[in-house]
Amino acid sequence: MKNIIIASTSTLHNGSYLDYLLPELKQHFSKATTVLFIPYARPSGISHDSYTEKVKEAFAKINKSIIGIHEFQNPIEAIENAQGIFTGGGNTFVLVNELYRNNVLDVLEKVIKSGTPYLGTSAGSNICGLTMNTTNDMPIVYPPSFRTLGLVPFNINPHYLDPDTNSTHMGETRETRINEFHFFNPQPVIGLREGSWLKVAGDSIQLKGSLTARVFRKNQIPEEVLPETELKDLK
Amino acid sequence: MKNIIIASTSTLHNGSYLDYLLPELKQHFSKATTVLFIPYARPSGISHDSYTEKVKEAFAKINKSIIGIHEFQNPIEAIENAQGIFTGGGNTFVLVNELYRNNVLDVLEKVIKSGTPYLGTSAGSNICGLTMNTTNDMPIVYPPSFRTLGLVPFNINPHYLDPDTNSTHMGETRETRINEFHFFNPQPVIGLREGSWLKVAGDSIQLKGSLTARVFRKNQIPEEVLPETELKDLK
């Protein structure tokens, strides 16, 4: 039975790393003493060791140990044996490239679908969708494919931002970008604002946090969905 | 002798399409009666015909005809025979994908390096750099490569945006993204603000417009460069 948290962000403005999620994570990882951390997305190019250290400090607050996947000789076995898994944010292209390079995408999908509790934030959430085509990140490396885990039957857009009506900037808004996505791709996209997360429990997919989320379906007007909305039929 | 304009944006806030560039374009395309337009980037998914129509209206103001590359049976011949070429903005992934699909990247590089006057705006500017790794666009399609024209020996970041110090949003700033790029890639990046363009004339590459531009080199503090700065040694 799937048991997944797909969070828009790790950190809220004025908050510290993972703070707002800790009560939820305590429950989510209740049966795990050690959680496997996947640091591949490397925000600001941070090393795997330093990133893992940062995550250790946060998880210590709920009495969980953290071990980085890069500390294992065999990352596939590390995933197979994990009691819980967390993939942190950073650059989604770098993350996906490393997942392919280490040949762990398939085993990750397998164990999460079999019930290993999983947490993703930002880039680690992007990969829960069908593809990474709706990331906000810069394509700083060229991954072998944009296909990701497909743990939910739609795509994720984390850090979703509403158009800024005061802006004089002429670059595309997030909504325009997602509309362009739908000229070339069929699947719905959920824009998760910072502070929102999806809770996947078996077949159920619920929006959590206090904010609404924005759902984009091809050739339809976007829809705001309320917290606690069931999204399992979004496909 | 190269003769290229690489513009951050097609349109300024409160301006109409290409307006601020028209005096420059009149001179740039002075020897062309007809300019070949490449509409592949399809902003907001607009059709090739509609996009070409919009460009026709703008170029009519300087008495130039426009013909879309999609109107030709053989796009390679269209490029070889063009008196001038303009690639418009939109989505860089879609643009690069179409350039590869139509097998025109090499011929485009060849004619521009031989002197066919070229204008790029936004996505059409991104492709003038060594690679498209520093685009701001969403990866809505998967192109066969991120390699682009290499008309200048560095990468372009159009629509460059300074960090918004009032923002509570936790997504990465443009500067952070470009720093992350430099963990994986060696070449400098120029952040071109809206209203700036690069003028390439033979070996010279000059910053034009009234704004400074931000130059990012690997492992160095970013530098603001003034209008009229010569950038041919940026590599």
Side-chain angles (χ1 to χ4, degrees):
Chain A
M1 185 183 124
K2 282 190 281 192
N3 187 14
I4 307 167
I5 292 176
I6 300 172
S8 174
T9 186
S10 60
T11 313
L12 293 180
H13 186 65
N14 290 331
S16 63
Y17 187 66
L18 289 178
D19 246 14
Y20 80 102
L21 276 173
L22 285 179
E24 183 77 16
L25 297 184
K26 193 170 177 178
Q27 206 172 6
H28 186 63
F29 290 120
S30 62
K31 289 176 187 153
T33 53
T34 301
V35 172
L36 181 73
F37 178 56
I38 300 179
Y40 292 158
R42 299 182 60 186
S44 299
I46 190 175
S47 73
H48 292 160
D49 278 343
S50 301
Y51 198 9
T52 304
E53 209 46 54
K54 179 179 172 179
V55 173
K56 264 183 198 163
E57 285 169 25
F59 273 75
K61 297 177 190 168
I62 54 169
N63 299 311
K64 304 290 173 195
S65 301
I66 286 287
I67 187 160
I69 192 169
H70 62 292
E71 299 172 49
F72 290 85
Q73 280 260 315
N74 186 329
I76 294 177
E77 277 179 25
I79 289 171
E80 284 173 336
N81 297 327
Q83 299 167 339
I85 298 170
F86 169 35
T87 305
N91 183 289
T92 306
F93 293 85
V94 175
L95 168 59
V96 170
N97 198 46
E98 281 298 286
L99 291 172
Y100 277 102
R101 207 175 63 80
N102 288 288
N103 193 28
V104 295
L105 209 75
D106 289 345
V107 66
L108 200 52
E109 181 181 337
K110 192 189 77 185
V111 302
I112 300 171
K113 287 188 173 169
S114 302
T116 305
Y118 177 86
L119 165 67
T121 61
S122 194
S125 292
N126 258 322
I127 61 171
C128 297
L130 291 173
T131 70
M132 56 163 285
N133 291 84
T134 47
T135 176
N136 312 308
D137 296 334
M138 195 172 262
I140 59 177
V141 299
Y142 183 75
S145 166
F146 286 167
R147 186 182 70 81
T148 49
L149 295 169
L151 303 174
V152 291
F154 45 82
N155 268 33
I156 313 286
N157 182 252
H159 300 284
Y160 181 75
L161 256 189
D162 294 289
D164 176 358
T165 48
N166 292 318
S167 174
T168 60
H169 188 69
M170 302 299 287
E172 295 87 347
T173 65
R174 194 67 62 81
E175 183 152 334
T176 300
R177 292 169 196 271
I178 296 172
N179 286 338
E180 289 179 351
F181 167 82
H182 275 142
F183 272 87
F184 298 94
N185 302 273
Q187 66 265 39
V189 180
I190 187 159
L192 283 178
R193 297 186 178 90
E194 294 179 344
S196 292
W197 68 93
L198 298 177
K199 189 175 170 65
V200 183
D203 290 334
S204 167
I205 306 169
Q206 274 193 306
L207 176 64
K208 295 290 180 180
S210 60
L211 304 170
T212 61
R214 198 159 179 84
V215 170
F216 301 83
R217 295 177 184 85
K218 188 173 176 133
N219 297 329
Q220 292 185 40
I221 292 167
E223 179 193 4
E224 286 291 323
V225 299
L226 295 168
E228 310 301 321
T229 298
E230 175 58 62
L231 294 163
K232 69 178 178 185
D233 294 326
L234 183 64
K235 57 184 96 178
Chain B
M1 185 182 121
K2 283 189 283 193
N3 187 13
I4 307 167
I5 292 175
I6 301 172
S8 175
T9 185
S10 61
T11 313
L12 293 180
H13 186 65
N14 288 332
S16 63
Y17 187 67
L18 290 177
D19 245 14
Y20 80 103
L21 277 173
L22 285 179
E24 183 76 17
L25 297 184
K26 193 169 178 177
Q27 206 172 6
H28 187 62
F29 290 120
S30 63
K31 288 178 189 155
T33 52
T34 301
V35 173
L36 181 72
F37 178 57
I38 300 180
Y40 292 159
R42 298 183 62 185
S44 299
I46 190 175
S47 73
H48 292 159
D49 279 342
S50 300
Y51 198 9
T52 304
E53 209 46 53
K54 180 179 171 178
V55 173
K56 263 183 199 161
E57 285 169 25
F59 273 75
K61 297 177 190 168
I62 53 167
N63 299 311
K64 303 290 172 196
S65 300
I66 286 286
I67 186 159
I69 192 169
H70 63 290
E71 299 171 48
F72 290 84
Q73 281 259 314
N74 186 330
I76 294 177
E77 278 178 24
I79 288 171
E80 283 172 336
N81 297 327
Q83 300 168 338
I85 299 171
F86 168 36
T87 305
N91 183 290
T92 306
F93 293 86
V94 174
L95 168 59
V96 170
N97 198 46
E98 280 299 285
L99 291 173
Y100 277 102
R101 206 176 63 80
N102 288 289
N103 194 28
V104 294
L105 208 73
D106 289 346
V107 66
L108 200 52
E109 182 182 337
K110 192 189 77 185
V111 302
I112 300 170
K113 286 187 173 170
S114 303
T116 305
Y118 177 85
L119 165 67
T121 60
S122 193
S125 292
N126 258 323
I127 61 170
C128 296
L130 291 173
T131 70
M132 57 163 284
N133 290 86
T134 48
T135 176
N136 312 308
D137 296 334
M138 195 173 263
I140 60 178
V141 299
Y142 183 75
S145 167
F146 286 167
R147 186 182 71 82
T148 49
L149 296 169
L151 304 174
V152 291
F154 46 81
N155 267 34
I156 314 286
N157 182 251
H159 301 283
Y160 181 76
L161 255 188
D162 293 290
D164 176 358
T165 49
N166 293 319
S167 173
T168 61
H169 188 69
M170 302 299 288
E172 294 87 350
T173 65
R174 194 67 62 82
E175 183 154 335
T176 301
R177 293 169 196 272
I178 296 172
N179 287 337
E180 289 179 350
F181 167 81
H182 275 142
F183 273 88
F184 298 95
N185 301 273
Q187 66 265 40
V189 180
I190 187 159
L192 284 177
R193 296 186 177 88
E194 294 178 344
S196 293
W197 67 95
L198 297 177
K199 188 174 171 67
V200 183
D203 290 334
S204 166
I205 307 169
Q206 275 194 305
L207 176 64
K208 296 290 181 180
S210 60
L211 304 170
T212 61
R214 198 159 180 85
V215 170
F216 301 83
R217 295 177 183 86
K218 188 174 176 129
N219 296 329
Q220 292 185 40
I221 291 168
E223 179 192 5
E224 285 293 321
V225 299
L226 294 168
E228 309 301 322
T229 299
E230 175 57 62
L231 295 163
K232 69 178 176 185
D233 293 326
L234 182 65
K235 56 184 96 177

